[in-house]
Amino acid sequence: MSMVRVDALYKSFGANQVLKGIDLRIQEGEVVSIIGRSGSGKSTLLRCLNQLELHDSGSIEINGKRLDGEAMSARQLSEHVGMIFQSFNLFPHRRVGENVMLAPMVVRGESREAVEPRARALLESVGLGEKFDAWPGQLSGGQQQRVAIARALAMAPKVLLCDEITSALDPELVGEVLRVLEKLAVDGMTLVLVTHEMRFAREVGSRVVFMHQGKIHEQGDAKRVLDDPQTPELKQFLASTR
Amino acid sequence: MIDFTLWDILGHLLRALRWTLALSIIAFVGGGLVGALLTWWRTSQIKALQLLVRGYVELFQGTPLLMQLFLIFFGLSALGINLSAWTAATIALTLFTSAFVCDIWRGSIEAIPAGQWQAARVLGMSRLQTLRHVVLGQAVRIAIAPTVGFSVQVIKGTALASVIGFTELTRTATMLNNAAFMPFTIFGLLALCYFCLCYPLSRYARYLEKRLDVHGSR
Ligand SMILES: Nc1ncnc2c1ncn2[C@@H]1O[C@H](COP(=O)(O)OP(=O)(O)O)[C@@H](O)[C@H]1O
Ligand SMILES: [Mg+2]
């Protein structure tokens, strides 16, 4: 059974057809990098996977559960899919530890005593054990993004979606976030990332999906696709990123 | 003409000040409660409620407070509902306040970036949970300075209640002047009374604005 299964997915914004029939299977533990030009529909695809956008037609199954529109509540969905954003989106009025503990407490009704050790361990695992009581505004971008990862993991999702999560960071802070992702990958987390980090996609990713004009134009084993692109569009895209 | 000493005048004004304060506080608290309910409706996902509140806010923001007061006092009385000047003033100021704070609070909630809602949503929170645990805490920080600032408008607004015969600060001053005819002294002291109520509030609002301006850090 695939962890993520997308069939004939279509999505338009008004007259603008953004996804034009996406078929995608992702196995448990796979690390899939989605690459492609700006505007090719990468973010929209991710956002459909957790219903931040509702698709027009086609089907999405995550961990065997079918998502269609209102069928699955935000709460149920959060047990399957987590998401990290480019802009971190930490809750600025809550301390780092509270950011991590909030969802398990509010959504699952867990007690603070039950959640706190887990939250501390998660922060430890992203290298921020000592920041439990800090305010998000006091952290660097790289640290904030690592908190966001810990916060997402607190809901123990099966799949983690990452939308250009290093794009807003100063270059010297990108590495610390990628290392956390790499550790997750090694631990067997299923990752779907929209990324411009070709080296990361090649070294850590198991598969690369190239999107072009709302379709999957080329995909396959990460090293194969990046080292030996078949279509002229992908060749051109890769040339433009070097 | 009766002879009043400065202290007599001040004594009368200070006693009347209680009514101005009482009216202001009731209007502000009542208006805050109604305003909170309106804000909730205004930011709900039910179109009809949104429109209703929008109309209400436009109505009260788009007409003079004095007219609202007349409508409630004289208008209702023409329909056979006789309200005391005190009740009419309280109702009018409460409704007036609710419309304005609703607008301030709606704006504060809408100022919270969409990313906050989305982050909460993908963590599994419902709309109400997000509002309560993520949005309100931040919106309050945005709202507090303009809300305190608006309280000054409420205090000054209470002066209009004198027109329908409610004996608060301004009406007391007018009556004193009719008896003593010392307009400069009496209205000067009246102005001083309002200033002493309002100035600290506007200073406080400005202080809050500066202090809470630093987004995301405390
Ligand atoms: N919420 C939205 N409303 C309208 N158009 C949108 C929305 N989100 C994305 N789009 C449009 O969809 C297209 C694809 O956007 P996106 O999925 O963000 O691409 P990418 O992430 O690959 O850069 C763009 O043309 C964009 O303008
Ligand atoms: Mg994008």
Side-chain angles (χ1 to χ4, degrees):
Chain A
M1 185 190 73
S2 307
M3 183 58 86
V4 177
R5 187 187 167 115
V6 177
D7 285 298
L9 192 72
Y10 284 82
K11 171 72 186 173
S12 302
F13 294 105
N16 181 11
Q17 194 175 47
V18 175
L19 298 181
K20 304 169 184 169
I22 303 280
D23 299 295
L24 185 64
R25 303 270 180 287
I26 297 174
Q27 304 304 318
E28 186 167 5
E30 257 196 295
V31 177
V32 176
S33 306
I34 301 176
I35 62 173
R37 280 209 187 81
S38 165
S40 56
K42 308 181 296 295
S43 295
T44 304
L45 174 58
L46 279 202
R47 292 164 65 83
C48 282
L49 290 182
N50 63 11
Q51 304 281 282
L52 282 177
E53 304 290 354
L54 300 180
H55 52 280
D56 300 333
S57 65
S59 74
I60 302 173
E61 268 180 31
I62 307 254
N63 199 22
K65 296 275 183 316
R66 182 163 173 164
L67 324 178
D68 19 27
E70 305 298 311
M72 200 186 272
S73 69
R75 179 194 162 153
Q76 289 171 301
L77 192 58
S78 70
E79 297 177 354
H80 301 285
V81 196
M83 184 165 192
I84 323 282
F85 302 86
Q86 180 174 346
S87 51
F88 328 136
N89 296 348
L90 293 184
F91 307 136
H93 62 311
R94 292 182 179 274
R95 292 175 193 272
V96 164
E98 294 175 320
N99 262 272
V100 179
M101 296 188 295
L102 189 64
M105 288 168 65
V106 168
V107 177
R108 295 220 189 104
E110 293 184 49
S111 72
R112 195 188 166 94
E113 294 69 45
V115 184
E116 188 172 326
R118 216 167 74 228
R120 287 192 184 275
L122 279 169
L123 283 171
E124 197 70 54
S125 76
V126 298
L128 295 171
E130 78 288 5
K131 297 293 188 192
F132 191 88
D133 290 315
W135 296 104
Q138 297 170 326
L139 305 186
S140 73
Q143 292 173 324
Q144 290 192 48
Q145 197 58 296
R146 287 186 280 149
V147 173
I149 294 172
R151 182 175 71 173
L153 293 176
M155 291 302 275
K158 299 284 189 300
V159 184
L160 200 55
L161 311 175
C162 304
D163 193 356
E164 301 199 24
I165 67 170
T166 57
S167 299
L169 298 177
D170 292 335
E172 72 271 18
L173 302 178
V174 169
E176 64 189 58
V177 173
L178 292 183
R179 272 193 295 281
V180 169
L181 278 190
E182 182 170 358
K183 205 163 79 179
L184 284 176
V186 170
D187 290 348
M189 174 63 92
T190 310
L191 293 173
V192 185
L193 356 130
V194 172
T195 185
H196 297 301
E197 300 292 332
M198 295 303 161
R199 254 200 25 225
F200 183 85
R202 190 177 180 286
E203 307 301 326
V204 181
S206 41
R207 180 147 51 113
V208 165
V209 170
F210 172 59
M211 281 189 66
H212 184 66
Q213 295 178 351
K215 288 187 175 149
I216 294 180
H217 202 69
E218 188 171 342
Q219 65 170 315
D221 173 76
K223 292 193 180 62
R224 205 279 298 152
V225 170
L226 294 176
D227 296 345
D228 184 21
Q230 302 295 305
T231 59
E233 289 80 10
L234 178 53
K235 280 180 191 161
Q236 199 187 3
F237 173 75
L238 290 177
S240 72
T241 61
R242 287 209 178 94
Chain B
M1 206 165 94
I2 313 165
D3 252 351
F4 280 102
T5 67
L6 198 63
W7 293 115
D8 290 333
I9 295 169
L10 203 58
H12 276 105
L13 286 181
L14 286 180
R15 253 167 282 144
L17 188 82
R18 290 176 308 176
W19 292 106
T20 289
L21 260 182
L23 190 55
S24 302
I25 290 170
I26 292 175
F28 199 68
V29 172
L33 291 175
V34 178
L37 183 70
L38 291 175
T39 308
W40 185 38
W41 288 355
R42 180 67 176 82
T43 54
S44 78
Q45 281 168 317
I46 303 164
K47 263 268 143 47
L49 276 183
Q50 289 179 19
L51 280 175
L52 194 76
V53 177
R54 253 178 73 180
Y56 176 95
V57 171
E58 298 283 345
L59 183 74
F60 280 93
Q61 288 194 334
T63 55
L65 176 56
L66 188 59
M67 185 224 81
Q68 296 161 22
L69 204 55
F70 281 174
L71 211 56
I72 287 170
F73 188 62
F74 300 119
L76 288 185
S77 130
L79 295 178
I81 306 169
N82 284 307
L83 301 175
S84 67
W86 161 256
T87 312
T90 310
I91 294 175
L93 277 161
T94 298
L95 298 184
F96 170 81
T97 305
S98 71
F100 276 83
V101 296
C102 169
D103 209 35
I104 294 172
W105 295 349
R106 173 197 55 82
S108 309
I109 287 174
E110 286 175 357
I112 305 305
Q116 293 284 306
W117 287 93
Q118 291 176 10
R121 162 91 184 279
V122 300
L123 286 167
M125 288 186 225
S126 68
R127 219 188 119 71
L128 211 59
Q129 288 170 335
T130 306
L131 199 60
R132 172 156 166 228
H133 298 282
V134 175
V135 172
L136 283 187
Q138 299 177 65
V140 163
R141 294 156 60 79
I142 299 173
I144 189 152
T147 303
V148 172
F150 177 72
S151 66
V152 171
Q153 302 304 318
V154 177
I155 293 174
K156 292 195 284 192
T158 60
L160 291 177
S162 63
V163 180
I164 57 169
F166 179 64
T167 312
E168 41 60 78
L169 200 51
T170 300
R171 183 141 198 273
T172 303
T174 316
M175 292 187 323
L176 278 172
N177 188 50
N178 288 343
F181 199 68
M182 298 161 67
F184 195 74
T185 316
I186 292 174
F187 291 120
L189 284 174
L190 175 67
L192 191 67
C193 286
Y194 279 113
F195 188 78
C196 290
L197 286 181
C198 295
Y199 183 68
L201 279 173
S202 23
R203 276 309 291 261
Y204 184 54
R206 230 169 301 149
Y207 161 78
L208 286 172
E209 207 169 314
K210 276 214 193 92
R211 204 192 59 158
L212 296 175
D213 202 27
V214 201
H215 188 80
S217 57
R218 280 195 228 187

